[in-house]
């Protein structure tokens, strides 16, 4: 295995399960014959600094408060993890650092929106999900559960901040771009998978994908693995999209990529190290792992409510 490549791992909604993600990265590194250089998490990490904070601020369900061990120095990440915000975070702690911060050694919040160069890669990002009713409203300081919820919605100025960047290697968003399920249906690629509803995702992140034309786009939120490509018509650059499952099992919650300088050369799902894509190969539903038994929970119960569609 070449040692001059960069190995990055995208991880779906962690929901407080930091210990298992660390273990997964060790396994993946052994399978690829080299350490994972960095982890990119697509939101809903729930990095609560104290277990009491986690219990007090959670908006939905009680999840592990494992990040507290990293915040107080009991544990330390072996490789850097960079994350964006989802719609379930410790928004009180993140509010005053919209441009990002180091929450614990080797654990970095990227911020609400922007672009950074990480290990030589240009990584653009937009935290949160789309709620049309809040899109043009100012962001309020999250002081209670009701104001914490609105902090998980991105705003128009944040979108504009990202909309003008170019030359993007990876775009991180929390919520899927609208229309990618229909794109997969139109491709008519043979699959045994039941496709999600066509309305899943939002038009804002789709506009970002179409405008920025990143090489790769990673997303989470809907707790499903998905693979589709956008672009390619008339010589237009191709954007390959990998949607990640939540971190209950690694098969579709982890997606890794290897880069030679800034060029992605191969990638795959899970921890086996098996290559599912390489330079010149197509990227569609057939790149997903074989379907196993369903996880115990695959959706946010109030996903439709979170989109404020009504």
């Amino acid at each position: 295995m070449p040692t001059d490549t960069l190995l990055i791992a995208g991880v779906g909604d962690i929901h407080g399960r930091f210990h298992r993600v660390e273990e997964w990265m060790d396994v993946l590194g052994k399978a690829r014959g080299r350490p994972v250089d960095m982890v990119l998490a697509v939101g809903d990490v729930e990095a609560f600094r104290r277990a009491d904070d986690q219990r007090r601020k959670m908006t939905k369900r009680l999840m592990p408060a494992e990040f507290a061990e990293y915040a107080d120095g009991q544990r330390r990440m072996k490789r850097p993890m960079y994350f964006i915000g989802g719609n379930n975070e410790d928004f009180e702690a993140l509010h005053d650092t919209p441009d990002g911060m180091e929450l614990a050694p080797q654990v970095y919040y990227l911020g609400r929106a922007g672009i950074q160069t990480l290990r030589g890669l240009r990584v653009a990002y937009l935290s949160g999900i789309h709620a049309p009713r809040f899109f043009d409203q100012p962001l309020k300081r999250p002081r209670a559960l009701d104001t914490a919820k609105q902090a998980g919605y991105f705003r128009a100025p944040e979108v504009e901040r990202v909309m003008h960047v170019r030359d993007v290697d990876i775009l991180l968003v929390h919520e899927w771009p609208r229309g990618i399920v229909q794109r997969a249906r139109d491709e008519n690629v043979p699959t045994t998978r039941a496709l999600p509803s066509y309305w899943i995702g939002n038009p804002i992140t789709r506009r970002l994908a179409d405008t920025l034309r990143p090489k790769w786009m990673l997303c989470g939120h809907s707790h499903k693995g998905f693979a589709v490509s956008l672009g390619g018509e008339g010589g237009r650059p191709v954007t390959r999209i990998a949607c990640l499952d939540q971190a209950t099992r690694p098969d579709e919650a982890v997606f890794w990529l290897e880069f030679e300088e800034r060029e992605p050369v191969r990638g795959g799902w899970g921890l086996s190290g098996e290559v599912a894509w390489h330079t010149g190969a197509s990227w569609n539903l057939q790149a997903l792992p074989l379907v196993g038994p369903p996880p115990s929970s695959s959706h946010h119960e109030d996903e439709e409510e979170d989109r404020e569609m009504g």
Side-chain angles (χ1 to χ4, degrees), residues 2 15-16 43 97 183 219 224 239:
H15 289 302
T97 56
R183 174 72 174 233
C219 50
K224 283 182 177 295
T239 292

Side-chain angles (χ1 to χ4, degrees), residues 48 52-59 90 92-93 145:
F48 291 90
D52 286 346
D53 287 342
Q54 198 262 4
R55 287 188 286 268
R56 178 169 56 88
K57 298 175 184 178
M58 275 301 299
T59 59
D90 186 0
E92 288 184 47
L145 293 183

Side-chain angles (χ1 to χ4, degrees), residues 276-296:
W277 172 86
H278 57 80
T279 303
S282 59
W283 181 253
N284 52 41
L285 292 178
Q286 288 189 319
L288 286 166
L290 295 177
V291 179
S296 58

